[in-house]
């Protein structure tokens, strides 16, 4: 049957507003994964891990992380082949496979993990900007000789910008991620 002829009690068949923007496999999966892999962890924290654990244990940590992500990806592939993935993405898949109780618990953990990752990325960005300012001989704009307040101001400003991008919708989010990926690839090449 023609889906356009179906009427819901809310809309009475009248379609108002723009159609929802959907992400494809590139902007919804590939770009976010590459940004997570090549982000702050690889550029700023990998040297610290190697410095603390040593080259061999650092390599073991990376190998174990790759094993975990590979098993997770294979599990998600198995779940995804069971049907259509609807709105909610990972949360939808987990709650469908494990039930709403486990899905809710994992959804909360997923939210906390995203919040922690976002704060890590923001602090790493602030540290990078402050390091660049030191390299260029720019004075601390907060007057703090340790420059920790500069990192805080940059972090808060970055959080506000990210909030505005999130409030503007998924289309802006996808465009910003592609732009960030281009900048990151250029940084890796140079």
């Amino acid at each position: 049957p023609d889906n356009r002829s179906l009427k819901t009690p809310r809309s009475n068949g009248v379609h108002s507003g723009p159609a929802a923007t959907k992400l494809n496999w590139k902007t919804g999966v590939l770009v976010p994964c590459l940004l997570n892999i090549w982000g702050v962890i690889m550029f700023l924290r990998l040297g610290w891990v190697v410095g603390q654990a040593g080259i061999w244990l650092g390599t073991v940590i990376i190998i174990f992380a790759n094993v975990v992500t590979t098993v997770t990806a294979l599990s998600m592939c198995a779940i995804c082949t069971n049907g259509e993935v609807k709105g909610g993405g990972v949360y939808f898949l987990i709650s469908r496979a494990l039930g709403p109780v486990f899905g809710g618990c994992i959804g909360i953990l997923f939210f906390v993990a995203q919040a922690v990752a976002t704060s890590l990325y923001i602090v790493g960005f602030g540290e990078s900007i402050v390091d660049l300012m030191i390299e260029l001989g720019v004075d601390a704009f907060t007057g703090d000789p340790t420059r920790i307040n500069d990192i805080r101001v940059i972090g808060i400003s970055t959080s506000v910008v990210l909030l505005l991008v999130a409030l503007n919708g998924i289309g802006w989010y996808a465009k910003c991620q592609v732009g960030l990926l281009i900048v990151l690839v250029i940084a890796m090449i140079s």
Side-chain angles (χ1 to χ4, degrees), residues 4-159:
R4 289 177 289 169
S5 64
L6 297 176
K7 295 182 181 181
T8 60
R10 280 175 126 184
S11 65
N12 295 327
V14 177
H15 299 287
S16 62
T21 304
K22 292 193 173 200
L23 300 175
N24 57 23
W25 70 271
K26 290 177 192 169
T27 57
V29 178
L30 181 67
V31 172
C33 286
L34 290 177
L35 285 173
N36 278 322
I37 292 167
W38 293 336
V40 172
I41 300 297
M42 183 174 168
F43 274 108
L44 299 179
R45 300 294 180 238
L46 189 58
W48 180 83
V49 170
V50 171
Q52 295 295 315
I55 189 74
W56 296 113
L57 284 178
T59 304
V60 169
I61 290 169
I62 292 171
I63 289 171
F64 280 149
N66 284 328
V67 168
V68 168
T69 55
T70 301
V71 170
T72 303
L74 291 175
S75 299
M76 291 304 290
C77 289
I79 293 171
C80 290
T81 57
N82 291 335
E84 180 184 354
V85 179
K86 297 185 179 172
V90 174
Y91 171 73
F92 172 79
L93 292 174
I94 292 169
S95 63
R96 186 179 72 192
L98 301 176
V101 174
F102 286 111
C105 292
I106 292 172
I108 290 170
L109 290 174
F110 185 65
F111 168 77
V112 171
Q114 290 292 348
V116 169
T118 302
S119 64
L120 174 74
Y121 291 141
I122 288 172
V123 170
F125 177 72
E127 288 177 353
S128 298
I129 295 297
V130 167
D131 289 345
L132 187 62
M133 289 170 54
I134 291 171
E135 223 176 89
L136 296 174
V138 178
D139 292 331
F141 53 84
T142 59
D144 183 15
T146 62
R147 297 193 183 237
I148 192 74
N149 287 331
D150 288 354
I151 295 172
R152 290 177 181 153
V153 170
I154 292 168
I156 291 170
S157 304
T158 304
S159 297

